[in-house]
Amino acid sequence: MSDQPIAEPYALDTGRAAHSAAYSPLYQQIKAMLLQSLDRGEWKPGEPIPSELELAARFQVSQGTVRKAIDELAADNLLLRRQGKGTFVATHYEAKVRFRFLRLAPDDGRQQATSSRVLECSRIKPPADVAKQLDLRTSDQVFNLRRVLSFNDVPTIFEDIWLPGALFKGLSTELLAEHKIPLYGLFESEFGVSMVRAEEKLRALAAPTEQAQHLSVQTGTPLLQVERVAYTYGDRPVEVRRGWYLTQHFHYRNSLN
Amino acid sequence: MSDQPIAEPYALDTGRAAHSAAYSPLYQQIKAMLLQSLDRGEWKPGEPIPSELELAARFQVSQGTVRKAIDELAADNLLLRRQGKGTFVATHYEAKVRFRFLRLAPDDGRQQATSSRVLECSRIKPPADVAKQLDLRTSDQVFNLRRVLSFNDVPTIFEDIWLPGALFKGLSTELLAEHKIPLYGLFESEFGVSMVRAEEKLRALAAPTEQAQHLSVQTGTPLLQVERVAYTYGDRPVEVRRGWYLTQHFHYRNSLN
DNA sequence: TAGTGGTCTAGACCACTAA
DNA sequence: TAGTGGTCTAGACCACTAC
């Protein structure tokens, strides 16, 4: 085993000449490569990624440059740093992460027992607007999922969810029944799809008949409607979700920074 | 003029001994001092702060340490870095910042002419819940402001606002009429109060009579109610705002990260 | 050309974790 | 004790802005 230099396995653009065609800093290039590794599932949620020194050696840069790349991924909540232990791939099996995506909170602040009842899980062709939001054709297959979330056994959220069929092969009512909350945890461990970011649009509206029935309220009751598009690595949309929230004893919390 | 060393004017805790009582990194201490300067109004919104090298000399640390402090303040949107020009105190007279606090957007994405009509501006004693949220006594004075925001002359938001009297001396309907949008711009330039962060609670509810009248809809129309507490430097609450949004043609946009 | 923030390096040392 | 991330330094050079 000699110490002969190995062939440069990573194509880093070290050329930092002024006015270079498409210059991007080294740490951005490294960030992009780490993102690819995450996307490929090279390191799974909950697992540690290689140490900073190891990555620095692999990419032939200094530790500080790797640090800056990891810093940004940690700021985006894709990675989690733990001093003395390592850097880990974020997972949805953590209260912290869950609350980032479940913004409805009880007015009195008390903990609530959460339960989910799946009403439907079928393979269908998507409505035109959903197909567009998922970057699919209307001829592609999608899963349509409908469920009711209850807090302390009080039905509070009705959700209508669409998922690309190609990514969620094998999704079924049984699988959903076995698996408990959170849904995004199931997605990451069973299908290797990590939800990283989402955009939501909120409106107040009078409950349609169907939604009202699922939530045990009268038709016309004011509901908070939440339309979500969720994205995985690389800003690829992988879920459309329409939710109707009862806000008699709950509120949607948000921070403006 | 001699080059004699000046007395150390800043109390930095350089003692980094293990298990030191209350150890905090140098860059955090510097961040805290920069925050104090911002709070004192040493540098006003829109103005540049001293250069990194100058601050490094002032605090007797390396440029890198100052950079890290500034990095965090810039990430929190308190400062704005502009390469080649300097680092500036964030101001609410910028579209970017405005959209951080006004989350209602038209469904069709088209630009809308925004106008504000002030209905009331009075000095009163605060309701108990408002006093509590502002860390005031119910015997303290507050300003109560009511206004309607219209987009393309369509009334869309009714707001009820409370501000600590001590901080907003001289606030009046006239001042508000002269001054155009945004309100937080007025607060920062006329009263030296910079809104830095806010927490909101959203609910859907049936329009009460008064709100319905202001928004030209029927009593009972579903409205999005938004309760906001806004904070200035050092997490001090300085505004309570209750808004009712018409979401027929608008939605509240939010990003989950 | 001078001054600003932005990137990158190499190395020292600290704080935390686990064996 | 060894290995990890966290802090701090000093210095070089690049990119951008303004004069």
Side-chain angles (χ1 to χ4, degrees):
Chain A
M1 306 302 174
S2 68
D3 280 328
Q4 63 180 352
I6 56 172
E8 175 88 13
Y10 297 99
L12 284 187
D13 177 11
T14 331
R16 296 167 223 154
H19 311 105
S20 129
Y23 163 73
S24 100
L26 271 179
Y27 77 89
Q28 288 288 1
Q29 299 178 45
I30 288 165
K31 183 183 175 187
M33 281 189 289
L34 294 176
L35 262 172
Q36 280 180 29
S37 292
L38 289 168
D39 195 11
R40 281 197 304 268
E42 196 171 318
W43 313 302
K44 301 251 182 304
E47 291 178 4
I49 71 171
S51 76
E52 294 178 353
L53 282 173
E54 193 177 331
L55 289 170
R58 179 183 303 186
F59 295 129
Q60 300 279 309
V61 299
S62 73
Q63 183 187 5
T65 301
V66 171
R67 273 192 74 74
K68 183 141 186 176
I70 292 179
D71 277 346
E72 292 203 352
L73 293 170
D76 290 344
N77 294 302
L78 302 192
L79 296 177
L80 191 61
R81 320 192 73 143
R82 285 193 251 170
Q83 192 177 17
K85 300 180 79 171
T87 301
F88 299 78
V89 182
T91 165
H92 279 85
Y93 291 101
E94 294 174 46
K96 276 188 194 176
V97 181
R98 292 252 303 283
F99 284 125
R100 291 206 339 254
F101 289 90
L102 176 58
R103 306 296 278 258
L104 202 67
D107 290 342
D108 63 13
R110 271 198 278 266
Q111 268 292 23
Q112 308 269 337
T114 310
S115 62
S116 162
R117 186 164 62 91
V118 176
L119 307 176
E120 193 175 330
C121 175
S122 53
R123 259 181 99 89
I124 60 169
K125 300 217 182 299
D129 57 337
V130 171
K132 193 177 175 189
Q133 289 177 297
L134 289 175
D135 271 338
L136 297 177
R137 298 198 187 80
T138 46
S139 56
D140 291 326
Q141 292 275 357
V142 298
F143 280 103
N144 177 224
L145 196 58
R146 286 158 174 258
R147 64 169 185 172
V148 174
L149 290 183
S150 297
F151 300 104
N152 287 352
D153 291 323
V154 180
T156 307
I157 299 180
F158 169 70
E159 286 180 322
D160 207 348
I161 302 174
W162 288 272
L163 303 161
L167 293 179
F168 291 87
K169 285 189 206 302
L171 185 61
S172 66
T173 314
E174 294 72 41
L175 187 59
L176 290 162
E178 292 168 24
H179 194 94
K180 290 308 176 193
I181 287 157
L183 194 52
Y184 285 174
L186 173 76
F187 290 174
E188 93 185 11
S189 51
E190 291 292 322
F191 303 98
V193 178
S194 291
M195 301 298 186
V196 151
R197 188 179 83 73
E199 297 285 340
E200 294 193 329
K201 295 182 181 183
L202 284 68
R203 291 180 185 80
L205 49 72
T209 308
E210 188 193 358
Q211 279 77 356
Q213 285 173 351
H214 291 310
L215 296 174
S216 305
V217 296
Q218 295 214 317
T219 298
T221 302
L223 296 180
L224 181 62
Q225 186 198 42
V226 181
E227 257 191 83
R228 173 189 298 183
V229 180
Y231 301 83
T232 188
Y233 303 114
D235 269 345
R236 300 198 308 275
V238 285
E239 182 197 53
V240 168
R241 182 186 289 217
R242 207 160 293 170
W244 288 265
Y245 297 7
L246 246 185
T247 56
Q248 254 61 30
H249 306 292
F250 292 80
H251 60 268
Y252 181 105
R253 74 203 147 66
N254 195 27
S255 296
L256 312 183
N257 293 313
Chain B
M1 307 303 172
S2 67
D3 283 328
Q4 62 182 356
I6 56 172
E8 176 87 11
Y10 297 99
L12 285 186
D13 178 9
T14 330
R16 295 166 223 156
H19 313 104
S20 130
Y23 162 73
S24 101
L26 271 179
Y27 77 89
Q28 289 289 1
Q29 300 178 44
I30 288 165
K31 183 183 174 186
M33 281 191 289
L34 294 177
L35 262 171
Q36 280 181 30
S37 293
L38 289 169
D39 194 11
R40 280 197 305 266
E42 195 172 320
W43 314 302
K44 300 252 180 304
E47 291 178 5
I49 71 171
S51 77
E52 294 178 354
L53 282 173
E54 191 176 333
L55 289 171
R58 181 183 303 186
F59 294 128
Q60 301 278 310
V61 298
S62 74
Q63 184 186 5
T65 300
V66 171
R67 274 192 73 75
K68 183 141 185 175
I70 292 179
D71 277 346
E72 292 204 351
L73 293 170
D76 291 345
N77 294 302
L78 302 191
L79 295 177
L80 190 63
R81 320 191 74 143
R82 285 193 250 172
Q83 191 177 13
K85 301 179 77 171
T87 300
F88 299 77
V89 182
T91 166
H92 283 275
Y93 291 100
E94 293 174 47
K96 277 189 195 175
V97 182
R98 291 252 303 281
F99 284 123
R100 290 206 341 254
F101 289 91
L102 176 58
R103 306 295 277 259
L104 203 67
D107 290 341
D108 62 13
R110 270 199 279 267
Q111 268 292 22
Q112 307 269 339
T114 310
S115 61
S116 162
R117 186 164 61 92
V118 177
L119 308 175
E120 193 174 328
C121 175
S122 54
R123 259 181 99 91
I124 61 171
K125 300 217 184 296
D129 57 337
V130 170
K132 194 178 176 186
Q133 290 176 297
L134 289 175
D135 271 338
L136 297 176
R137 300 198 185 82
T138 45
S139 57
D140 291 326
Q141 293 275 356
V142 297
F143 280 101
N144 177 224
L145 198 57
R146 287 157 172 257
R147 65 170 185 170
V148 174
L149 290 183
S150 297
F151 299 104
N152 286 353
D153 290 322
V154 180
T156 306
I157 298 179
F158 170 70
E159 285 181 323
D160 207 349
I161 302 173
W162 287 272
L163 303 161
L167 292 179
F168 291 87
K169 286 188 205 302
L171 185 62
S172 65
T173 313
E174 294 73 41
L175 188 59
L176 291 163
E178 292 168 24
H179 195 93
K180 290 308 174 194
I181 288 159
L183 195 53
Y184 285 175
L186 173 77
F187 290 173
E188 93 184 14
S189 51
E190 291 292 321
F191 303 98
V193 178
S194 291
M195 301 301 186
V196 151
R197 188 180 83 73
E199 297 286 341
E200 294 193 329
K201 296 182 180 182
L202 283 68
R203 289 180 186 82
L205 49 70
T209 308
E210 188 193 358
Q211 280 77 357
Q213 285 173 351
H214 292 310
L215 297 174
S216 305
V217 294
Q218 294 213 319
T219 298
T221 301
L223 296 181
L224 181 62
Q225 188 198 42
V226 180
E227 257 190 81
R228 172 189 298 181
V229 180
Y231 300 84
T232 186
Y233 302 115
D235 269 345
R236 300 198 308 275
V238 286
E239 181 197 55
V240 168
R241 181 186 290 216
R242 206 160 292 170
W244 289 266
Y245 297 8
L246 245 187
T247 56
Q248 253 61 31
H249 306 290
F250 292 81
H251 60 268
Y252 181 104
R253 74 202 148 68
N254 195 28
S255 296
L256 313 183
N257 293 314

